[in-house]
Each structure stands twice: as structure tokens, then as C-alpha cells.
Amino acid sequence: MAAPADPSAAPVAPPPDSGRLDAGRAGAAALSAYVIWGLSAAFYKFLGFASATEIVLHRAVWSVPLLALLVWMAGRAPTAWRLMTDRRAMAMLLFSAILIASNWWVFVWAINADRVLDVSLGYFINPLMNVAVGVFIAGERFGRLRMVAVGLAVIGVINQIVAVGEIPWIGLFLAASFTAYGYIRKTIATDGRVGLFWETLIISLPSLVALFFLEASGGGGSFLAAPGQAILLILTGPMTVAPLLLFIIGARGLHFATIGLLQFVAPTLQFSVGIIWGETFTFAHAITFAFIWAGLAVFTLDLLSSRRRAIARES
């Protein structure tokens, strides 16, 4: 969804609290977040004047003040300051910052290289990769349906390698980096907004230095080249933070199963952007996506079945 603004920027959802927010408004907020993440692929198409590296540098820099405001408004500023004394947490946040920065870079590079379909493939694979990590690394137990879903996704990737003749490294990297990012973030006991603030702050410090030298080098940077370009680069901050805020608002009133279904909105819109922009999509590509979508259908069926069983136990 990196990529989260794309889905690579979304934190692990907090426990839903339907009593704090109307389910309809929560659903609208969460859906808006995923729509923005999905359509961000089109937004970054208009930043083709800058390199992926320069765009990521600006994205980190302009996200920090907005995230700082978000943390302050949420009353999490004391938590953010206290986290500085936790060396383990800060070390893990440094690692997660590197992961999310690399996710952002590949996401932006792929879009500017007309590889949006590969991006969407990665974020379609992401929830199924989470299942695989849960089983083989975290030792979690999943039902047969989820294992079938993962198997279908693996067949899709194999088809991409054999029939299309290429390793879908962009999609695999985006899915793997965001899966690893989410796994690491689960080990850090802090609010998602606070964690993302520190991650972007960590990235922004060297980013400011790099941007200074880029602009001072004369003709190397895009920010001072034209007002329109500067505005678009500044907007990378709101494009990162706005869907994050909407997601946090929506997650308060939604069940995990609902959030699990909504997460497919972003890669679906990314896929649409790739098709509209005329990217190559052959029959072999269609087979790859068909297996991935079949896996997601099985995964969705399992999510809905689990939700119905939970409701039955509560009643």
C-alpha cells in the first residue's frame, strides 16, 4: 500500500473502538485514506521532473512538521519525548526508518519508471506475505484457507517469472519491506503516530543536508527551479500525513476484518492508474494477477468467516 503517500506509511491498526466513532464515519475516513494511498500513484506521476531520491528527501522533510502537529494535537508529545530514553525502541525505529525510506524510494522510482502495475502487485501480495511471515517466522497458526491463499500467490509469482520472463522484484521488494516494517513496528510499544514521527524525523535530518547540497550545487535540485515544482514537492508531506490521519480516525470505529478488506482498495486503484497510463499488460500478466486475486479472494473469505464466528461467540 511502499507507500503507504502510499500504504508503506500506514501503521498497524489500533484496536477498534466503535463506541468512540460512528461506524459510518469511521468507514468513510478509512476508505478515504486508502483512496488517497491508491491515487497517490497518479500524484507522483506529476513529479517526474525530480529523481526518486529527491522526492523521498522532500517527502520526509515536509512530513515532519505535520506529524509533529498531529502528535501534539493527539496529546502524545510527552510519549514522544519519553521514547528518546528507550535505547532499544530508538534503535528499532532507526531500522524501521531505513526500511520505510527504501520502500518509499522503490515506490516512487517505480511510478516514475512507468511500473505502477508492479507496485500494485506488491501491495496485493503484502497481506498474503504477512500471513506467510506469521506462520513461518512468528510461529502463528493459521487455517487451511489462508495457506491456500498464500499458495495461490506463490503460483502467481512463479508465472510472472516463467511466462512473463521477469522476476517481479519491485512488487516483491515493496511487499517484503513493508511486511518487515510492520513486523518490526509490532515489537515497539508506542503509538503509531509517535513511531512514524520519529521515523520521518530520523530520515529528515540527513535529508535536509542532502537537499541543501543538491540545491547549492547549481541545477541539481528541482525545488528552486520553478514555483510549481516547489509546491508539488511540498505537497508530498500532506500526501503522506493526510491518509495516515484518516486511517487512524477510521480504525477507531472499524473491526479488523473491515480494515482487512479495505486495504485492497489502494492496490486496486494503483492497478487502474497503471492501466490508464498505458503500461504493458499482456495475457501472461493477467494470469499472474488472476492467481494473486484468487489468493486474495480466499483470504477475504477466511476473514469474513472468522468475523462471523467471532460475532457468533459474542452473541
Side-chain angles (χ1 to χ4, degrees), residues 1 15 17-18 32 72 112 195 198 200 203 222 230 238 241 245 258 289 310:
M1 211 185 298
D17 183 1
S18 57
S32 297
W72 177 74
N112 287 347
W198 276 113
T200 52
I203 302 169
S222 304
V241 178
L245 176 60
T258 304
F289 275 90

Side-chain angles (χ1 to χ4, degrees), residues 82-97 182-190 198-199 202:
R82 283 196 300 270
L83 195 63
M84 290 182 64
T85 62
D86 189 336
R87 293 185 178 181
R88 180 189 176 279
M90 294 303 294
M92 297 302 289
L93 284 171
L94 173 61
F95 187 30
S96 63
Y183 183 78
I184 290 172
R185 285 296 301 272
K186 285 183 179 180
T187 68
I188 307 172
T190 190
W198 276 113
E199 287 166 348
I202 290 170

Side-chain angles (χ1 to χ4, degrees), residues 39 52 76 90 101 123 130 145 148 150 174 195 210 231 251 253 270:
L39 294 180
R76 300 290 183 176
M90 294 303 294
Y123 288 114
N130 282 328
L145 281 179
V148 170
V150 172
L174 290 174
I231 292 172
Q270 292 165 355

